[in-house]
Amino acid sequence: MKPQLIVALDVDSFAQAKKLVDKLYPYVKIFKVGSQLFTACGLKVVDYVNKKGAKVFLDLKFHDIPNTVGNAVASAARLGVFMLTVHAQGGVEMLKAARVAAQRSAKQARVSRPIIVAVTVLTSQMFENLHQRVLDLADDAYTAGLDGVVASVEEAGDIRKVFKKDFVIITPGIRPQGSQAADQKRVATPGAAIRSGSDFLVVGRPIVEAEDQLAAAKQILKEMK
Ligand code: C5P
């Protein structure tokens, strides 16, 4: 599968999200709904993206006791989202609970099971031994039978070397050449992300805050080729 672009709908109203989706689809086919937008308008945006024919990446980064995360993942799976996130730091038991719940719930709701990926270390963080910590968390996700991880481009190369080809790698912190890093510490260009073995590139502000959002998305898609 060719690497794909995911645009983070990091806006605070349904109206703004709808405008972005209408502008970018079908050039962009996957939209990330995170805590900002989900807290503002919940299911409405998930339904809208799904009905449009695009896919939802529900990025709520679940992190709690296994039972609670399992129940949250079960609810998310029923929404028919394409992919969702849990925090790898929650431990193997929690990650397993997420996998089991997704399978069961999707089957009951007769929808496809969402791809479950574990967030390793946020791309806004930087600390000693971070690289090894990311690899250890990726190992937990793999052991728990999850589909992949979210990691920065700096770790993606090593994750790709260690784990099987179909272990999905999602890289945020993508910045086209010459743009602002903002609060992201471990950033990389779309080309570097692809070379590192990333399957999905998550881009927020470089597109959302661009004057011409479609042009910004097309530029990144071009850099991904
Ligand atoms: O605006 P920017 O391109 O930095 O947005 C990146 C998006 O990816 C944000 O929605 C952020 O929540 C998300 N993300 C991240 N680092 C992670 C996981 C998700 O930046 N490790």
Side-chain angles (χ1 to χ4, degrees):
M1 204 180 63
K2 273 213 290 201
Q4 293 186 67
L5 173 63
I6 301 176
V7 172
L9 296 174
D10 289 337
V11 293
D12 50 26
S13 72
F14 175 72
Q16 283 173 285
K18 178 180 181 299
K19 226 165 127 184
L20 249 176
V21 172
D22 290 346
K23 203 173 276 179
L24 299 179
Y25 183 80
Y27 293 97
V28 176
K29 295 184 174 60
I30 311 173
F31 294 93
K32 185 170 90 75
V33 175
S35 47
Q36 178 186 3
L37 184 60
F38 196 78
T39 306
C41 66
L43 305 183
K44 202 169 164 188
V45 69
V46 173
D47 283 344
Y48 186 76
V49 172
N50 277 341
K51 285 203 180 106
K52 188 98 190 168
K55 293 174 179 172
V56 175
F57 171 25
L58 189 66
D59 182 27
L60 297 180
K61 301 185 177 69
F62 296 132
H63 187 180
D64 211 312
I65 56 172
N67 183 58
T68 303
V69 166
N71 289 336
V73 167
S75 296
R78 280 193 286 272
L79 302 179
V81 300
F82 167 67
M83 182 151 70
L84 63 86
T85 48
V86 293
H87 249 295
Q89 315 214 15
V92 175
E93 285 316 308
M94 189 206 85
L95 300 173
K96 273 187 193 160
R99 173 175 56 78
V100 171
Q103 249 153 2
R104 199 178 43 222
S105 169
K107 201 170 164 198
Q108 277 165 0
R110 294 169 194 269
V111 293
S112 315
R113 178 180 74 75
I115 294 171
I116 309 183
V117 291
V119 174
T120 53
V121 176
L122 297 172
T123 33
S124 57
Q125 289 186 303
M126 197 73 126
F127 51 82
E128 237 176 88
N129 299 328
L130 182 145
H131 198 82
Q132 189 53 46
R133 177 77 181 134
V134 171
L135 288 172
D136 290 346
L137 290 168
D139 193 57
D140 283 353
Y142 189 81
T143 305
L146 293 200
D147 301 296
V149 285
V150 182
S152 90
V153 172
E154 286 174 27
E155 291 86 41
D158 278 344
I159 294 172
R160 187 45 78 230
K161 270 186 229 151
V162 176
F163 301 97
K164 276 198 316 204
K165 259 215 184 92
D166 58 0
F167 194 60
V168 170
I169 303 175
I170 301 185
T171 51
I174 303 298
R175 293 293 177 266
Q177 241 128 32
S179 70
Q180 299 273 324
D183 63 341
Q184 298 280 26
K185 302 229 165 37
R186 291 170 290 136
V187 296
T189 60
I194 304 282
R195 287 190 295 278
S196 75
S198 173
D199 301 292
F200 295 95
L201 280 60
V202 177
V203 182
R205 286 161 290 182
I207 291 175
V208 176
E209 291 177 1
E211 220 161 282
D212 185 339
Q213 295 158 332
L214 182 58
K218 282 184 177 171
Q219 177 59 35
I220 289 174
L221 286 166
K222 204 167 129 193
E223 287 187 42
M224 285 170 67
K225 281 203 177 129

